[in-house]
């Protein structure tokens, strides 16, 4: 029984490595082109071990799958008008996460994570993917896969 759970979780985890979302027209900015800019990726706040582990997973997944320019950045560096990422032509978009809390009935609740694009010049927040997960990496990977699939060279 424990082995079955381990095998199934491994299969699910592997499937996320190739999974793409089919609703990108709802959340991917129309003018986004990864070949023409550097995508900023919002990191989870440092200091807590589980957040550090998420940041490591995001970094290694980007290194493995994303063939365009990107930078892992702290929230303050993304929203701050000056500093390291002040150039909004070079860094026009950031992929941000949102921590969601949902009611589970009977007074209970659960939390999940979803991702959205921020257009840095205007401050416009694009819609969430609507594919949230309690493990943000399980949503993050298909977001990146979807971008790679949409912009793959023919």
């Amino acid at each position: 029984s424990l082995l079955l759970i381990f095998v199934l979780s491994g299969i699910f985890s592997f499937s996320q490595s190739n999974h793409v979302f089919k609703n990108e027209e709802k959340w991917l900015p129309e003018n986004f082109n990864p070949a023409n800019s550097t995508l900023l990726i919002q990191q989870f706040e440092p200091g807590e071990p589980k957040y550090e582990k998420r940041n490591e997973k995001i970094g290694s997944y980007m290194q493995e799958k994303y063939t365009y320019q990107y930078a892992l950045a702290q929230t303050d560096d993304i929203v701050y008008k000056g500093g390291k990422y002040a150039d909004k032509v070079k860094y026009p978009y950031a992929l941000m996460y949102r921590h969601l809390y949902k009611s589970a009935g009977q007074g209970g609740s659960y939390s999940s994570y979803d991702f959205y694009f921020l257009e840095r010049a205007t401050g416009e927040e694009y819609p969430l993917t609507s594919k949230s997960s309690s493990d943000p990496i399980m949503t993050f990977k298909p977001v990146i896969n979807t971008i790679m699939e949409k912009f793959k060279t023919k």
Side-chain angles (χ1 to χ4, degrees):
S1 157
L2 188 58
L3 180 60
L4 179 63
I5 291 170
F6 179 72
V7 169
L8 288 176
S9 68
I11 289 169
F12 184 69
S13 177
F14 177 76
S15 71
Q16 294 306 303
S17 295
N18 298 310
H19 183 68
V20 296
F21 292 151
K22 300 296 185 190
N23 67 342
E24 75 275 0
E25 72 286 345
K26 293 183 169 118
W27 53 266
L28 192 62
E30 195 176 309
N31 294 326
F32 175 74
N33 184 339
N36 298 338
S37 61
T38 301
L39 177 62
L40 296 179
I41 308 287
Q42 180 188 21
Q43 289 194 293
F44 288 84
E45 298 307 318
E48 193 173 321
K50 77 176 178 183
Y51 294 156
E52 295 291 345
K53 191 149 187 75
R54 287 175 185 163
N55 289 337
E56 286 173 23
K57 286 180 180 179
I58 285 172
S60 64
Y61 197 76
M62 289 299 286
Q63 201 169 16
E64 176 189 343
K65 297 280 187 175
Y66 198 77
T67 57
Y68 303 101
Q69 295 293 312
Y70 68 92
L72 305 176
Q74 293 298 320
T75 308
D76 289 348
D77 292 330
I78 292 170
V79 297
Y80 179 57
K81 301 290 184 216
K84 192 189 224 180
Y85 304 112
D87 184 345
K88 300 212 177 24
V89 173
K90 183 175 182 182
Y91 307 103
Y93 294 101
L95 181 60
M96 309 289 285
Y97 69 85
R98 180 156 297 137
H99 194 175
L100 308 167
Y101 297 92
K102 298 180 179 181
S103 172
Q106 302 289 326
S109 67
Y110 67 95
S111 71
S112 66
Y113 294 85
D114 204 347
F115 288 84
Y116 66 96
F117 276 83
L118 171 68
E119 188 168 342
R120 297 180 65 241
T122 63
E124 180 181 354
E125 292 182 6
Y126 286 78
L128 295 165
T129 70
S130 300
K131 307 283 187 177
S132 67
S133 172
S134 60
D135 179 356
I137 304 305
M138 300 307 275
T139 302
F140 178 80
K141 287 180 176 183
V143 167
I144 298 307
N145 296 343
T146 303
I147 293 168
M148 293 307 296
E149 180 70 22
K150 181 175 174 66
F151 291 96
K152 73 180 176 187
T153 51
K154 306 286 186 255

